[in-house]
Structures are given as structure tokens and as C-alpha cells.
Amino acid sequence: ETGVTQTPRHLVMGMTNKKSLKCEQHLGHNAMYWYKQSAKKPLELMFVYNFKEQTENNSVPSRFSPECPNSSHLFLHLHTLQPEDSALYLCASSQDPQGGNQPQHFGDGTRLSIL
Amino acid sequence: DQQVKQNSPSLSVQEGRISILNCDYTNSMFDYFLWYKKYPAEGPTFLISISSIKDKNEDGRFTVFLNKSAKHLSLHIVPSQPGDSAVYFCAASARSSASKIIFGSGTRLSIRP
């Protein structure tokens, strides 16, 4: 039990579908993150939210749309994805990073496959 | 250009011996370094970290060493146990952009009996 829960664990979707990934953290953290991990590549930061405000968008295509309704929940809305978007999507949370360096705690990820 | 590099994609160590995982970085602004461990079908788990004001941090069987002049850090695991078989990621961040943790590509550690 990591304290960060992601659903679904696996998702297969067509390029014209719309789906959402969900992340919930039970650690009392203020910051939440989305990462993408493609095969044989390092984790790539996609978005950062701190106290529900987006503070980083790492040049992510608009077909990925994040939403953070509160400090405990984070969503990634997906639409019109491409086959190269197939990857493991990881959510993480941490204490407020503006207060100094903090370790991030990860969920188990959603394995996304685009047909 | 990768700012955090783990040049060994894999490492095999006998149970009971010391495992040494290495990591190099290029950005001199990095002042916080972390190691994560990842099992298949699970997310990365935070293991240990070190601030640039230190050159060593120890937690049980895990010790991280930082050599700032060489821009190099290493993770020592001793004694190595079968449950240590996993992929280990080195990561780094700078206080000026503390939310951006940059990860290496990982080293797969296998502990053999």
C-alpha cells in the first residue's frame, strides 16, 4: 500500500475514444504529479499541481488534459490519442516542493494501450 | 541530453555480497538526490535521499554516497538479499525547481543465490 492509488490499472482504448485516468493520495500531501514512462526511456514529468494549481506543463500535447479538483485527487483526461501514447502513466504526490526538496511517492500506474 | 545517467542497464550480485549502483549527473544546480526501487507491475518506491550538503546518508542496509566534484553518486546495498532484485532509479532535483525531479533510465539489479 503506497498511499497513492491509481485506477484503472490497465486501459485499452481506440484513438477516437475519450477516457480518464484517476489518482487519489491518502498521504496528506499538497502536490501531485503525472509522469509518463515509455519503454526503455526514463520517467518523463508531464504535469505538476501544487495546492490544486497547475505549476508545470512539460510541453504536453493538448490531447492530455489534467484536472485537480482538490489536493487529494488528480485526473488525466485522454482524447484522440495516438499509438505512441501507449505507455505506463504514473501519478505521484509529495509535500509542498516550494518548501524545499521532497521525495515523491508513486502509485502503481495505469498501463495504457492505444489501438 | 540526459541530465541523470545510469550507465549500467543491469547488474548481477551474489546474495550476501555488496551491490553498488552508480549514477552520474551533469547539472551542477542539482542539490537533492534520490534513489527509487521498482518491482514489476508496481510504481517506484522511494528508498533513500541525500542533500548536497552531505556526502553520505545511511539507512539500514542502504547507503548513498555523493561526490559533488565528480558529479557522481552511488547506492550501496549490503548485504544483498533476494528481495533486492528490482530496477533502481537514480533521480535529482534543484531547489530552484524542486517539483521537477529528473530520473535516470534505471539499473536492473539481480541477486543470485
Side-chain angles (χ1 to χ4, degrees):
Chain A
E1 177 60 47
T2 66
V4 180
T5 304
Q6 290 187 243
T7 54
R9 293 295 311 275
H10 301 272
L11 178 62
V12 179
M13 56 188 285
M15 289 190 284
T16 57
N17 291 159
K18 290 183 181 181
K19 296 285 184 183
S20 296
L21 310 185
K22 179 182 175 182
C23 177
E24 183 174 358
Q25 59 95 2
H26 310 276
L27 300 169
H29 290 160
N30 308 114
M32 295 188 78
Y33 310 78
W34 279 117
Y35 284 86
K36 174 183 179 183
Q37 186 174 31
S38 304
K40 301 193 188 301
K41 291 175 75 172
L43 273 74
E44 300 171 58
L45 180 66
M46 298 174 73
F47 301 103
V48 180
Y49 278 82
N50 198 17
F51 291 97
K52 302 187 300 176
E53 299 297 319
Q54 189 180 122
T55 57
E56 291 279 348
N57 176 338
N58 214 22
S59 303
V60 181
S62 59
R63 58 186 184 270
F64 295 91
S65 174
E67 178 190 0
C68 188
N70 55 61
S71 292
S72 299
H73 293 85
L74 185 65
F75 296 89
L76 188 62
H77 304 299
L78 317 170
H79 65 97
T80 325
L81 294 194
Q82 305 298 311
E84 62 266 27
D85 297 322
S86 297
L88 179 68
Y89 289 84
L90 289 158
C91 172
S93 71
S94 74
Q95 297 290 3
D96 178 11
Q98 300 307 315
N101 292 305
Q102 300 285 346
Q104 295 175 15
H105 298 264
F106 287 82
D108 288 336
T110 295
R111 174 70 61 186
L112 177 66
S113 299
I114 307 300
L115 301 179
Chain B
D1 183 35
Q2 277 191 271
Q3 298 185 63
V4 177
K5 299 178 185 178
Q6 294 178 258
N7 292 318
S8 299
S10 63
L11 176 67
S12 179
V13 174
Q14 190 168 23
E15 183 178 356
R17 307 294 289 266
I18 183 170
S19 295
I20 300 176
L21 297 112
N22 293 302
C23 178
D24 298 296
Y25 61 95
T26 57
N27 189 339
S28 58
M29 298 299 292
F30 287 150
D31 58 4
Y32 184 60
F33 304 88
L34 312 92
W35 284 95
Y36 284 82
K37 173 181 180 179
K38 184 181 185 302
Y39 291 121
E42 293 184 13
T45 302
F46 171 68
L47 262 182
I48 191 169
S49 64
I50 188 168
S51 163
S52 61
I53 61 173
K54 293 185 172 183
D55 53 20
K56 176 183 174 181
N57 189 25
E58 189 172 352
D59 183 1
R61 295 186 300 114
F62 301 91
T63 303
V64 56
F65 295 91
L66 175 63
N67 182 335
K68 289 185 288 293
S69 60
K71 294 192 177 69
H72 177 84
L73 68 155
S74 60
L75 176 68
H76 293 212
I77 306 172
V78 56
S80 299
Q81 298 175 354
D84 296 330
S85 295
V87 177
Y88 289 79
F89 293 97
C90 170
S93 68
R95 188 178 181 88
S96 57
S97 55
S99 61
K100 286 184 115 171
I101 292 183
I102 309 298
F103 286 83
S105 53
T107 295
R108 183 176 299 281
L109 175 64
S110 300
I111 305 302
R112 59 181 190 273

